[in-house]
């Protein structure tokens, strides 16, 4: 949710390419397939976190600076540790629906993937 309005996102988690096949267009091909998958599926945005943004910028993603809110879960113990609330510098989105992105508070309504 952004400013209390629901947005439908498809989250990309850990897009990985084998080191010996990097720089051969494999990751870009995967991102194109994600775009194709999103067509006609009631998805507003593709969302991901990237420490190296170069690939994603080349493929139409943009960096956004929303204040994020999420449920903090310890992956090892599976215990809830409260609510996270901060701007995450690695947040990127790609518009695939008809609504525009808002720079307001982004509530993940659950854990941060």
């Amino acid at each position: 949710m952004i400013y209390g309005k629901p947005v439908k996102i498809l989250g990309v988690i850990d897009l990985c390419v084998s080191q010996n096949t990097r720089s051969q267009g494999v990751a870009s091909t995967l991102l194109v397939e994600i775009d194709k998958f999103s067509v006609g599926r009631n998805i507003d945005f593709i969302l991901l976190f990237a420490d190296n943004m170069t690939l994603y910028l080349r493929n139409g993603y943009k960096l956004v600076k929303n204040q994020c809110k999420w449920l903090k879960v310890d992956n090892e113990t599976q215990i809830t540790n409260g609510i996270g609330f901060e701007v995450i510098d690695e947040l990127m989105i790609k518009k695939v629906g008809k609504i525009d992105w808002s720079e307001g508070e982004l509530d993940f309504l659950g854990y941060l993937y």
Side-chain angles (χ1 to χ4, degrees), residues 4-67:
K5 293 181 181 179
V7 290
K8 297 169 193 86
I9 62 168
L10 172 66
V12 176
I13 303 172
D14 295 334
L15 179 70
C16 301
V17 176
S18 171
Q19 190 167 357
N20 59 343
T21 59
R22 291 183 187 158
S23 299
Q24 297 177 25
V26 175
S28 291
T29 299
L30 290 171
L31 292 172
V32 167
E33 290 302 316
I34 293 168
D35 290 349
K36 289 178 187 177
F37 174 83
S38 300
V39 173
R41 294 196 185 266
N42 198 22
I43 298 169
D44 298 317
F45 301 94
I46 302 169
L47 182 145
L48 55 83
F49 298 96
D51 52 354
N52 183 344
M53 298 174 191
T54 306
L55 167 72
Y56 303 105
L57 291 169
R58 281 195 324 251
N59 283 278
Y61 288 78
K62 71 176 192 172
L63 179 65
V64 292
K65 294 286 184 182
N66 293 70
Q67 182 79 8

